[in-house]
Amino acid sequence: MQWLVGLLGIWYLLSPWIFKAASAAMWNGIIVGIIVAICAYMFPAEKSFNKWLGVLTGIWAIIAAFFLTEGAGYMWNNIIVGILMAIAGFGALGGNK
């Protein structure tokens, strides 16, 4: 499941350009996307902080959707990606499958 968190991090990184996000939302997407992708792909899967990071960044993406985004499309993108990141993070906590 950690690979899914990494893919979602890459999508979160690219989505500000796809949706033409404003400055604050763009930097949020860049920073959070890079952190999620690097932690999901570069660090050992046995480290539990990586799995919790997927959960926490998913929750952050949902919260940031209401405060940093301006368009409905980008807001829903952040909400859906945040939910998927949190679910994949919880799934990774359950086991190494």
Side-chain angles (χ1 to χ4, degrees):
M1 291 299 269
Q2 196 168 354
W3 61 270
L4 181 58
V5 175
L7 286 176
L8 290 167
I10 292 171
W11 171 255
Y12 200 76
L13 170 66
L14 297 175
S15 62
W17 287 285
I18 295 169
F19 289 99
K20 297 176 178 48
S23 180
M26 181 184 75
W27 283 109
N28 177 63
I30 291 170
I31 293 168
V32 172
I34 288 173
I35 290 171
V36 171
I38 287 175
C39 286
Y41 289 124
M42 301 300 283
F43 294 128
E46 296 83 28
K47 302 290 185 185
S48 65
F49 77 89
N50 290 347
K51 298 168 186 175
W52 278 108
L53 185 70
V55 175
L56 294 175
T57 54
I59 293 169
W60 169 252
I62 295 168
I63 293 169
F66 294 103
F67 296 106
L68 297 177
T69 60
E70 294 177 2
Y74 190 53
M75 182 185 80
W76 281 107
N77 174 70
N78 285 1
I79 292 170
I80 293 168
V81 170
I83 290 170
L84 292 174
M85 273 197 283
I87 290 171
F90 278 123
L93 283 169
N96 293 330
K97 296 181 181 167

